[in-house]
Amino acid sequence: MGKPTGFLEVERRENPWRPETERVRDFAAMHGALSESERMRQASRCMNCGVPYCQSDYGCPLHNLIPEWNDLLYRGNERDALGRLLKTSPFPEFTGRVCPAMCEKACMMAETDGASTNRDNELYLIEEGFRRGWICPRPPRQRTGRRIAIAGSGPAGLGAADRLNRLGHSVTVYERASLPGGLLMFGIPNMKLPKDIVARRIRLMEAEGIRFIAGQEASPDVTQGYDAVLLCGGARKPRPLAVPGSDMPGVHYAVDYLSAATEALLKGSAPAIDAKNRDVIVLGGGDTGNDCVGTALRQGCKSLVELELLKAPPERRSAGNPWPEWPRVLRTDYGQTEAANIFGADPRLFESTVTALHSDEYGRLCAATVSRVRRNDDGSIVPVAGSERTFSCGLLLIAAGFIGCDPYTAGAYSLSLTPRGTPDGMRGHNIRGNLFAAGDLRSGQSLVVRAIADGIAAANEADAYLKR
Ligand SMILES: Cc1cc2nc3c(=O)[nH]c(=O)nc-3n(C[C@H](O)[C@H](O)[C@H](O)COP(=O)(O)OP(=O)(O)OC[C@H]3O[C@@H](n4cnc5c(N)ncnc54)[C@H](O)[C@@H]3O)c2cc1C
Ligand code: SF4
């Protein structure tokens, strides 16, 4: 433990946000950084708890050695701290930016003095590592001669590729999109995770011997002849909107919209789906909905409403949701804060949904009727009669969740699916024979850190299969 009294003397300080009014004018990163000395002070707050819940199943899916690297960071031994971090976490530059930091919610100090700033500390360590040239390609010393194909290059595919390559196997990653990275590249917006950060990691992995083939869908024809195949294609089948007219121009799924925004940013062109000067409704109050809000604001939307089907969660933890569980409380994310700043109010309407769509004389979306909803005793959700309001709406973004694994991949590899849309009858990460699965495709839509951990676990199973 670095400083026994650190948590008593030093207040929690997070990386500073850029002001809302400034950051909505561009797609650049939303945070600045603390100084080196303040970062060390923050690391001194970690108490090296006897039972470190931060690295337990409640906290970190990667089981990062959090108290160890916080201690080394506090002592100014940044290189060793980074070494300890990289023992369990292959891509801290991603998790340090987009992880909801369950480790901080599970931290002993979460409910009292303010959790240890683990996410910002890990981001500092990895970025210092890149800046000071400590991160360089480390290809394996020996190759096993075994060839492995990975379908999909999101965090699960990358985690698996990194692990298998370190074990000496020759890895080829197939990616349908024009660039590798999965939702890290086309999904999570640039202000949360700048795309040069994703490209930097891909270059490093290429230099370590991993082959990326972008713009190529994996199918049994493509992956035949490999010693093992890992399906990491994500869970991208969106939940549809069961309202007549939801296929009219102006209605889009969130990931299509967010991908178009990133593509336009990378190409310097106008986005194929643009919120500029449009009245926007975002259907879904989760993280994806919030990313749509933040993106629509940056594109210059005229107005913005965000609808959430569920009740607003409580402001504080309830008795049925004790620490160190993830707190199911009302959260106001960056996009909602920005919208409140620009339009004067939180854009969210809880317990509400779209019940009718209206088109103009050209057949394009021009308005949407929104109703409040209530839950029946049998769990069904129904509109409340008389609660309808019609909003002018030129762009409706559906961010209502995902209902299963990538349909093309499921069909191509003849996967039988559970009602949740995940592969049925799996044993661990094995589907059958030399075919494995990881990430959202295996578990349903989840988190970047879980996908990385799952990719590593699948890689270990594939390695054991090859050595059997
Ligand atoms: C908008 C949005 C924002 C999010 N924000 C966060 C966040 O801030 N923090 C967080 O922790 N999580 C976030 N998530 C969730 C997180 O991004 C996912 O859980 C994670 O990316 C899943 O990783 P994956 O590798 O399983 O799949 P994906 O990232 O979906 O990658 C799958 C890749 O496989 C490719 N593919 C599919 N089939 C094939 C095939 N047959 N051949 C070749 N390629 C194929 C797809 O094109 C895709 O690129 C967000 C999700 C969304 C939709
Ligand atoms: S629970 Fe918090 S204070 Fe304790 S070891 Fe983990 S990060 Fe440090």
Side-chain angles (χ1 to χ4, degrees), residues 7 45-55 66-68 70 103-104 106-110 115-118 323:
F7 73 102
R45 296 184 70 246
C46 175
M47 297 189 288
N48 191 15
C49 300
V51 180
Y53 280 95
C54 54
Q55 66 184 62
I66 293 166
E68 292 186 30
N70 271 334
C103 61
E104 296 187 15
C107 171
M108 283 285 198
M109 299 187 288
S116 168
T117 52
N118 301 332
W323 175 87

Side-chain angles (χ1 to χ4, degrees), residues 72-113:
L72 288 160
L73 172 57
Y74 161 63
R75 291 173 194 279
N77 194 347
E78 292 158 343
R79 191 160 189 169
D80 284 350
L82 178 59
R84 294 309 281 165
L85 171 59
L86 292 173
K87 273 217 167 297
T88 54
S89 175
F91 316 123
E93 70 274 30
F94 302 154
T95 45
R97 288 180 167 86
V98 305
C99 192
M102 292 166 293
C103 61
E104 296 187 15
K105 306 299 183 295
C107 171
M108 283 285 198
M109 299 187 288
E111 306 280 298
T112 52
D113 306 284

Side-chain angles (χ1 to χ4, degrees), residues 339-420:
N341 200 285
I342 292 172
F343 296 120
D346 190 316
R348 286 174 293 185
L349 299 178
F350 288 93
E351 295 178 271
S352 301
T353 193
V354 167
T355 46
L357 297 171
H358 311 280
S359 57
D360 62 14
E361 70 263 39
Y362 305 106
R364 294 173 312 207
L365 177 72
C366 67
T369 300
V370 171
S371 301
R372 282 188 49 86
V373 295
R374 67 177 164 75
R375 192 179 284 270
N376 283 333
D377 291 343
D378 65 0
S380 59
I381 292 179
V382 289
V384 176
S387 68
E388 300 83 6
R389 283 164 71 187
T390 297
F391 290 85
S392 178
C393 177
L395 181 62
L396 175 70
L397 301 171
I398 305 171
F402 300 85
I403 52 170
C405 76
D406 182 86
Y408 170 82
T409 312
Y413 286 90
S414 310
L415 306 183
S416 73
L417 300 179
T418 66
R420 287 187 58 230

Side-chain angles (χ1 to χ4, degrees), residues 39 69 71 116 132 143 147 175 203 211 235 319 350 364 367 416 463:
R39 180 57 52 213
W69 45 257
D71 177 42
S116 168
R132 297 195 202 179
R143 290 285 175 190
R147 294 169 64 242
E175 171 54 56
R203 279 198 304 277
R211 195 163 160 237
F350 288 93
R364 294 173 312 207
S416 73
D463 179 59

